[in-house]
Amino acid sequence: MINSLIFIKFLGPLSGGRCRRTNIRNLEWDVQKIRISGKGGIRMNVGVAHSEVNPNTRVMNSRGIWLAYVISVGVLHVVLLSIPFFSIPVVWTLTNVIHNLVMYWFLHTVKGTPFETPDQGKDRLLTHWEQIDYGTQCTSSRKFLSISPVVLYLLASFYTKYDHAHFLINTTSLLSVLLPKLPQFHGVRLFGINKY
């Protein structure tokens, strides 16, 4: 077991509140020795470039991820529009259904984390939705992921002119992805599906 670690901190060329020329003699280093005890000691993520215990918890708060999400839905819609024998209502319904199937798969079916985490496998039984923001409800990431299928549903309903068949398909698709996001279903496995 490692008894101690040495942390070296660069204090920089500033001392006493004034700037001076930086050369090798002006550099100050602070060396600290920290003991690690066997119980409740300092936790380090060795061999990783991040400080999160589970990076899945913060991935939706990453810079630009919401824009990438919106752009990918737009690209899916444009690709479906480029297929010549699909009408506009069919394209909107397919965009909505494909989006909701993919989001259901990634957020509510896939469990665990692709990263090696030091949490002793606690997150292997949680879906990605349950891991986002450490399970805290009503955060900005969760609101964004809950509102985006509703906006896509409203657009699909408008462009299909509220046709009964499209409306039924789009509503079923929306409910299948929106109900698992409710706080009442956090950690719930209906009929034992996806329990292990």
Side-chain angles (χ1 to χ4, degrees):
M1 171 143 184
I2 299 174
N3 288 332
S4 63
L5 294 174
I6 297 176
F7 291 98
I8 300 175
K9 181 172 63 172
F10 173 64
L11 295 178
L14 299 176
S15 63
R18 55 184 186 157
C19 276
R20 58 183 179 186
R21 229 181 195 176
T22 304
N23 60 29
I24 199 70
R25 283 181 265 176
N26 292 341
L27 299 179
E28 299 175 18
W29 296 87
D30 185 16
V31 178
Q32 299 174 353
K33 199 172 197 180
I34 299 175
R35 298 244 175 239
I36 297 179
S37 63
K39 297 178 184 175
I42 294 175
R43 187 182 259 188
M44 288 184 57
N45 293 332
V46 180
V48 296
H50 51 77
S51 62
E52 290 288 331
V53 174
N54 181 2
N56 262 1
T57 59
R58 297 284 182 204
V59 72
M60 287 308 293
N61 294 328
S62 300
R63 194 171 182 185
I65 196 75
W66 292 8
L67 180 62
Y69 175 84
V70 171
I71 288 173
S72 63
V73 172
V75 166
L76 170 67
H77 185 69
V78 169
V79 166
L80 291 173
L81 275 174
S82 67
I83 300 174
F85 52 86
F86 283 162
S87 66
I88 301 292
V90 170
V91 168
W92 275 103
T93 299
L94 280 175
T95 302
N96 187 30
V97 169
I98 290 171
H99 166 267
N100 289 343
L101 282 174
V102 169
M103 293 312 288
Y104 181 81
W105 175 260
F106 282 120
L107 290 179
H108 305 293
T109 302
V110 176
K111 294 168 120 181
T113 176
F115 311 101
E116 185 175 340
T117 59
D119 66 352
Q120 303 286 325
K122 289 189 301 187
D123 294 328
R124 70 180 173 80
L125 296 175
L126 298 176
T127 63
H128 185 71
W129 178 257
E130 294 164 348
Q131 294 176 36
I132 292 177
D133 295 326
Y134 298 103
T136 305
Q137 301 296 322
C138 298
T139 61
S140 59
S141 300
R142 287 178 181 254
K143 288 177 186 176
F144 174 76
L145 289 173
S146 297
I147 290 172
S148 57
V150 173
V151 170
L152 191 59
Y153 168 77
L154 292 174
L155 286 170
S157 296
F158 176 75
Y159 283 106
T160 58
K161 297 183 169 93
Y162 303 100
D163 179 58
H164 294 296
H166 290 284
F167 189 76
L168 182 64
I169 293 169
N170 287 326
T171 303
T172 304
S173 176
L174 175 69
L175 290 177
S176 70
V177 78
L178 204 58
L179 288 177
K181 289 179 171 59
L182 294 175
Q184 292 83 2
F185 289 110
H186 185 79
V188 174
R189 305 289 182 262
L190 294 177
F191 310 114
I193 297 172
N194 205 14
K195 185 176 180 181
Y196 299 107

